Amino acid sequence: AITRLLIIVLSLAFFVPGSLGAAQSTPEGLSITVQAGFEGHYKENTWLPVTVRLENTGAPIQGVLEITLDDYIQPDVVYRYPVELPTTSRKEINLVVFPEGTARGVLVKLLAGKQVLGKAEARLVYESDENPLFGVLSDSPSAFSLLSELDDMEEFTGPASVAMLESATFPRRSQALEALDVIILCNTGSTGGLSPEQVQALQAWTADGGRLVVAGGPGWQKTTAGLESSGLLPLIPTGD
């Protein structure tokens, strides 16, 4: 089997229980959700961000989390991690994997020995290098839906795709941003909520050729919050 490169960015924390959306819950009280790529979008030969969230409101659980990339030939396990879930706990695991070739999805299983305690799946959407992929961090994401109608950009010959970003899940490693051709920050208070690691990832991504668009307008104060000392802005706006 071909060795897969793997950067692990573990962010393990416990929180009070809350809704994680639809997920399988066997045994009772266990739920698992997984997010991969940028709303599922990814590009070949780029790092793929994966976020796994686990919640347990039942009996304590000890197991092994198994992450599998489902390609078109044979699923390949790329990551295993021991997990302990006390009663009334939530845990988040963030990692970055490098798919070799194309993949249809990311499969997650929580195992106790050979028994599958729970599982979840995130489907992936392959984007050609000819298709520009926009990442948008904005309080008004619907305003950027028209970007998907672009089909004639410099150096790109295919139609564009748009993925909405959130500050809470914004990658903390620049490698995880590789699939994005353009990142747009507009009318958002979220930049002030970006951690130093997330801002550093954005800095490294732009230094490596990523295209960052920071829009002005009436919400410019919110948009530039947290970026003024980052060196990412060509100028520091002033005024009301």
Side-chain angles (χ1 to χ4, degrees), residues 17-192:
S19 174
L20 290 180
Q24 300 202 24
S25 55
T26 303
E28 184 177 357
L30 171 67
S31 66
I32 304 175
T33 59
V34 57
Q35 293 176 292
F38 299 96
E39 293 193 322
H41 297 275
Y42 83 105
K43 290 192 174 185
E44 190 176 358
N45 297 322
T46 64
W47 294 92
L48 177 70
V50 178
T51 299
V52 181
R53 295 185 180 91
L54 305 101
E55 178 180 0
N56 181 36
T57 59
I61 293 174
Q62 287 188 335
V64 175
L65 193 68
E66 182 179 275
I67 312 295
T68 301
L69 285 176
D70 182 11
D71 60 26
Y72 289 89
I73 302 175
Q74 180 178 354
D76 190 4
V77 175
V78 295
Y79 176 62
R80 289 185 178 92
Y81 183 77
V83 172
E84 293 187 8
L85 292 171
T87 301
T88 313
S89 63
R90 290 175 64 183
K91 185 170 290 190
E92 179 176 293
I93 299 175
N94 298 297
L95 55 106
V96 186
V97 299
F98 193 88
E100 295 174 352
T102 57
R104 295 178 295 184
V106 175
L107 311 177
V108 177
K109 294 180 181 179
L110 182 59
L111 306 174
K114 295 183 179 181
Q115 180 184 4
V116 178
L117 300 180
K119 58 184 178 180
E121 180 179 5
R123 305 310 297 172
L124 293 173
V125 180
Y126 170 75
E127 297 289 349
S128 167
D129 286 338
E130 298 177 352
N131 302 347
L133 179 56
F134 291 84
V136 177
L137 184 61
S138 174
D139 292 342
S140 304
S142 61
F144 295 90
S145 59
L146 291 176
L147 289 173
S148 61
E149 298 180 11
L150 294 176
D151 58 5
D152 187 17
M153 293 180 59
E154 181 181 356
E155 81 181 67
F156 297 106
T157 59
S161 294
V162 182
M164 300 306 166
L165 309 178
E166 298 178 359
S167 59
T169 56
F170 195 89
R172 292 169 173 78
R173 292 289 185 96
S174 60
Q175 290 93 336
L177 296 170
E178 284 183 348
L180 295 174
D181 299 295
V182 181
I183 294 178
I184 299 175
L185 309 178
C186 179
N187 191 32
T188 175
S190 299
T191 57

